[in-house]
Amino acid sequence: MYEEDYSDKLTYRRFPKVPIERRMGAFAIDFVVVWFVSSFFGQSGGWLVFLLGWLAMRIVVVDRNQGQSLGHYALDMKVIDYRYNRVPDLVTLAKREGILGFTAMLASLGLQNFGNGLLLLFLATPLLVDCLLALFDEDLDRAFHDRIAETIIIQTQRGFSLDLRLKKLLATIQRNMRQ
């Protein structure tokens, strides 16, 4: 009777999982770059520069660079929309990175006040809670910001393979030290 149109149906594909330590490495690369730039502006306006830099790197760059920020490019990963298996649109990226950027900005404020350990722990807690959820998601390794924006991080062939290059360099150094 009625013929169903399957072009509207969402497709779900299984993607290779990205190890959590690689995700942490990519986050650390992006965090350090943005934190370094924002540190020139001091504590009074540094948080705003950090947030704007984070949003530029993780929304504009990701949108223009096939789902990869600097850290994701360095470690061969990209972010995709879980529902449509493609690079997320700007609104989805803004939702995702708004949450992650705010928690990263709080952690950067805690790092700037490194002398006060309790304040550092207090300000870094939202970032830790957000990212710890990825450890307990056995299927897709999605953190809180990934769940809200319905995105996932996948491995890709496009990138610099920094982690593999560093492993190879360390193996060469160890081999040369033994000889």
Side-chain angles (χ1 to χ4, degrees):
M1 302 189 25
Y2 292 104
E3 196 172 309
E4 288 189 45
D5 182 18
Y6 288 102
S7 63
D8 293 352
K9 300 284 183 185
L10 303 177
T11 59
Y12 293 104
R13 267 184 46 199
R14 194 99 169 126
F15 292 102
K17 291 170 81 171
V18 177
I20 197 74
E21 55 273 1
R22 286 183 63 208
R23 288 183 68 174
M24 290 181 350
F27 174 83
I29 290 169
D30 291 340
F31 182 84
V32 168
V33 167
V34 175
W35 187 41
F36 179 73
V37 170
S38 70
S39 67
F40 291 115
F41 293 90
Q43 287 184 339
S44 59
W47 64 270
L48 181 61
V49 173
F50 181 90
L51 202 53
L52 291 174
W54 185 267
L55 294 177
M57 178 177 277
R58 301 282 295 229
I59 295 174
V60 177
V61 171
V62 168
D63 184 53
R64 302 271 185 235
N65 196 25
Q66 301 175 18
Q68 293 180 308
S69 66
L70 178 64
H72 287 160
Y73 180 78
L75 299 177
D76 303 330
M77 295 181 277
K78 75 182 207 175
V79 62
I80 64 166
D81 190 314
Y82 178 66
R83 297 168 296 173
Y84 301 112
N85 298 330
R86 60 181 168 88
V87 176
D89 60 355
L90 287 174
V91 173
T92 303
L93 284 173
K95 203 180 337 178
R96 179 182 196 275
E97 296 305 331
I99 296 168
L100 189 59
F102 180 72
T103 59
M105 187 250 330
L106 289 177
S108 76
L109 290 175
L111 286 172
Q112 288 175 354
N113 298 313
F114 191 71
N116 188 346
L118 187 59
L119 183 63
L120 171 63
L121 181 65
F122 179 71
L123 290 174
T125 299
L127 179 63
L128 293 173
V129 169
D130 178 17
C131 295
L132 276 176
L133 286 176
L135 290 175
F136 301 111
D137 186 1
E138 295 176 10
D139 189 32
L140 297 171
D141 288 341
R142 293 191 306 170
F144 178 73
H145 59 274
D146 288 319
R147 292 170 192 245
I148 295 297
E150 295 182 358
T151 58
I152 57 173
I153 303 293
I154 63 168
Q155 294 183 26
T156 183
Q157 297 294 322
R158 182 180 183 270
F160 187 69
S161 303
L162 181 65
D163 55 336
L164 300 177
R165 291 173 191 240
L166 287 175
K167 284 180 187 178
K168 188 176 179 180
L169 177 67
L170 286 174
T172 303
I173 290 172
Q174 286 178 342
R175 188 174 52 248
N176 290 340
M177 298 274 290
R178 290 181 190 152
Q179 292 178 355

